[in-house]
C-alpha cells in the first residue's frame, strides 16, 4: 500500500477517486475520509463530487460518467456528434432552421422547436457540462485551494478536460473523444486497449493506452474461427475495456 509521506494515510489512486464517485451518496464521505478528504455535500451529487483536504489544502473534484438516460441520449449524442462531423452539421442545420423560423407566423414561433439545437447542439451547452463547470468554479472560490486535482471517467473524463485550467492537475480515464479533437499535453489521459468510447484518441501522443486484461476472452474465439463466438467475445471485451476496474492496483495516483 502506498502511503503519503509524513502521514499514515494511504495515497489516493485514480481508481479509488473514480470508484467512490459511483458509490451511493451516503458512502462517498466515509470512503474519502480514509484519504484525509472531507466531502462537500452542498456542492456534490451523483454527477460530480467536491472533496477538500484541510491539512494539505488540496481540492479534489471528480466527475462521473453517464449514469442516466438523459446523459446517454442528450449529452453523449452531442459529444459524439462534435468535432469534425458536428461542425459540418452545424454549418447547415443551424442557419436552415433559423431561416424557417423567420418565415413562421408570430403566433407559431414560441411553439417552434429547433430540432438541430436539441439533437446536434453544442456539448458545452448541455446542463451536465454547465453544472460541472459551475460547480468547479464554486468549489475553487469557496476553498481557495493550494492544489487542485480533477478526475473523470468516460463522459466525465471528457468534461474535465474542457473545464480544467492550466494549473489544474487532470486525470481522465477512457474519456469520450471525437474525431479531430486535440488532447492537451499537460493533462493525464488514459484509455484501456479495446475501449470504444475513447477510440478516436487512440493514436494521440498525449494519451496513454493501458493493457486490457480482458482481451484474453477473444483469443480462444479467434482460434476457433467461429464468427458468432468472435462477435460475442468482442462485445464482452469492449464492455469490460471501459470498466474502471482495469486500473485497480495501478500506480496512477492523484
Amino acid at each position: 500500500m502506498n502511503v503519503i509521506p509524513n502521514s499514515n494515510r494511504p495515497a489516493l489512486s485514480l481508481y479509488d477517486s473514480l470508484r467512490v464517485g459511483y458509490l451511493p451518496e451516503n458512502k462517498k464521505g466515509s470512503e474519502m475520509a480514509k484519504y484525509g478528504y472531507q466531502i462537500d455535500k452542498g456542492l456534490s451529487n451523483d454527477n460530480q463530487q467536491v472533496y477538500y483536504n484541510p491539512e494539505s489544502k488540496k481540492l479534489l473534484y471528480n466527475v462521473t460518467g453517464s449514469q442516466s438516460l438523459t446523459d446517454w441520449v442528450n449529452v453523449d449524442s452531442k459529444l459524439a456528434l462534435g468535432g469534425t462531423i458536428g461542425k459540418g452539421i452545424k454549418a447547415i442545420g443551424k442557419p436552415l432552421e433559423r431561416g424557417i423560423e423567420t418565415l413562421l407566423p408570430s403566433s407559431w414561433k414560441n411553439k417552434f422547436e429547433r430540432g438541430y439545437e436539441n439533437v446536434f447542439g453544442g456539448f458545452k451547452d448541455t446542463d451536465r457540462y454547465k453544472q460541472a463547470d459551475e460547480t468547479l468554479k464554486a468549489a475553487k472560490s469557496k476553498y481557495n485551494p493550494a492544489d487542485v486535482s480533477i478526475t473523470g471517467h468516460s463522459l466525465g473524463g471528457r468534461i474535465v478536460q474542457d473545464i480544467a485550467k492550466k494549473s489544474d492537475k487532470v486525470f481522465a480515464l477512457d474519456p469520450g473523444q471525437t474525431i479531430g479533437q486535440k488532447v492537451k499535453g499537460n493533462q493525464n489521459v488514459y484509455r484501456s486497449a479495446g475501449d470504444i468510447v475513447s477510440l478516436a484518441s487512440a493514436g494521440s501522443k498525449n494519451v496513454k493506452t493501458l493493457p486490457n486484461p480482458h482481451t484474453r476472452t477473444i483469443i480462444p474465439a479467434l482460434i476457433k474461427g467461429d464468427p458468432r463466438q468472435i462477435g460475442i467475445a468482442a462485445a464482452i471485451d469492449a464492455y469490460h475495456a471501459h470498466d474502471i476496474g482495469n486500473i485497480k492496483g495501478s500506480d496512477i495516483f492523484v
Side-chain angles (χ1 to χ4, degrees), residues 106 112 129 136 167 170 188 200 245:
S106 57
F112 178 68
Y129 180 93
L136 176 58
S167 58
V170 176
N188 302 286

Side-chain angles (χ1 to χ4, degrees), residues 108-235:
W108 291 11
K109 288 185 178 179
N110 290 336
K111 297 180 181 180
F112 178 68
E113 189 171 350
R114 297 185 187 132
Y116 156 75
E117 292 189 351
N118 286 332
V119 180
F120 301 108
F123 170 60
K124 293 184 180 181
D125 293 327
T126 62
D127 289 340
R128 185 78 146 80
Y129 180 93
K130 290 190 287 187
Q131 185 184 57
D133 187 29
E134 292 167 1
T135 301
L136 176 58
K137 291 176 180 176
K140 288 180 177 179
S141 176
K142 179 177 180 177
Y143 294 104
N144 190 27
D147 186 81
V148 178
S149 285
I150 309 176
T151 60
H153 171 238
S154 192
L155 172 60
R158 177 65 177 86
I159 291 176
V160 300
Q161 289 180 73
D162 282 355
I163 65 176
K165 301 301 180 184
K166 288 185 178 180
S167 58
D168 299 332
K169 298 174 183 176
V170 176
F171 301 85
L173 176 67
D174 297 330
Q177 303 291 127
T178 54
I179 298 173
Q181 176 194 340
K182 294 182 179 180
V183 178
K184 299 175 183 177
N186 64 331
Q187 299 183 349
N188 302 286
V189 180
Y190 305 90
R191 64 178 299 275
S192 295
D195 179 54
I196 296 176
V197 176
S198 59
L199 183 60
S201 66
S204 174
K205 65 178 181 180
N206 297 322
V207 177
K208 183 176 182 180
T209 298
L210 305 173
N212 175 4
H214 301 285
T215 53
R216 62 181 180 272
T217 62
I218 199 172
I219 294 177
L222 289 172
I223 294 174
K224 291 182 179 180
D226 184 337
R228 181 174 176 276
Q229 289 187 23
I230 292 174
I232 294 174

Side-chain angles (χ1 to χ4, degrees), residues 29-48:
S30 59
E31 280 294 301
M32 293 304 294
K34 299 176 183 177
Y35 305 96
Y37 287 96
Q38 299 173 352
I39 187 170
D40 188 320
K41 294 183 178 180
L43 292 176
S44 302
N45 56 35
D46 284 338
N47 292 333
Q48 61 262 331

Side-chain angles (χ1 to χ4, degrees), residues 60-79:
L60 174 66
Y61 186 59
N62 178 67
V63 181
T64 63
S66 303
Q67 299 193 79
S68 67
L69 183 62
T70 298
D71 285 343
W72 295 323
V73 174
N74 186 34
V75 185
D76 290 337
S77 65
K78 293 185 177 184
L79 171 58

